[in-house]
Amino acid sequence: MNTTSSLRSFGWIVLGGLALGVAGCSVDLGQVFESGDGQGNGGSGTTASTTSQGGGGAGGAVSSGGTGGTTGSTTSSTTSGTTTTTTTTTTTTTTTSTTIGDPMGQLACGQDTCQAPQDICCWDRWGIGTGDQFSGQCQNAPADPNNCNTTVEQGGVQTIIECTATSQCPAGTFCCGDVVQFDAGGQQLSYYPIVECRAMCDWPARRMCSQQGDPICEQGTTCKQSQLLPQGVFVCGQ
């Protein structure tokens, strides 16, 4: 299941009296915000006007093909003293494919519980997309950007959740996402555009875990309840 999150830069947008503005184009990994998941009490990450950096969505496939060597066969026949030779050439093409695969299991989604891989959870932390904070809805996979808008704009800032723990992802991959910051009326907030299975999940990406003490967390971090995702979704942090 492939999903690409796009972040576009907008001017001030008024949301029922709330002025929503996009932060400047900078990355500040040292500052800590109370509104996010991070290496501390809050989250620091890529600003809203910068495209969230991360791996492709679950199920993404990369294929490469190459042309192998040629093999030849020679057939000879003799008729009435005359020899005729026919040569046949065969070309072999080799194609390799690498697929992350789909997550499996139940997805906490607020009042709903979704079932991967046939469902995704569309999560609205701040209520900018639906008007209801901490609200979620199960939707059919793959995610439809018209129904779950991850863009920083009026009616957006939602999160596509494809997995909620690394244990739900194929072996050797991680459930993770990038925390993106944006400015809402002078207040800096954070959200995940997408949480998905990836082959790599290194800081500043956040790694999802199953429960306190989960060994999937990197050294120096522990598994704790996410501040940006539904209740029951845990993230590795300090």
Side-chain angles (χ1 to χ4, degrees), residues 72-79 81-88:
S73 60
T74 303
T75 303
S76 299
S77 60
T78 303
T79 305
T82 302
T83 301
T84 302
T85 303
T86 302
T87 302
T88 302

Side-chain angles (χ1 to χ4, degrees), residues 63-149:
S63 298
S64 60
T67 302
T70 59
T71 58
S73 60
T74 303
T75 303
S76 299
S77 60
T78 303
T79 305
S80 302
T82 302
T83 301
T84 302
T85 303
T86 302
T87 302
T88 302
T89 302
T90 303
T91 301
T92 303
T93 301
T94 303
T95 302
T96 59
S97 178
T98 302
T99 303
I100 292 180
D102 293 325
M104 301 287 291
Q106 293 185 337
L107 309 176
C109 193
Q111 298 298 316
D112 290 339
T113 300
C114 312
Q115 184 67 43
Q118 59 265 36
D119 295 334
I120 62 101
C121 169
C122 183
W123 177 249
D124 192 348
R125 168 62 180 86
W126 301 109
I128 296 172
T130 63
D132 296 322
Q133 292 191 45
F134 299 101
S135 63
Q137 182 185 49
C138 298
Q139 297 180 4
N140 292 334
D144 183 348
N146 294 318
N147 296 329
C148 193
N149 185 358

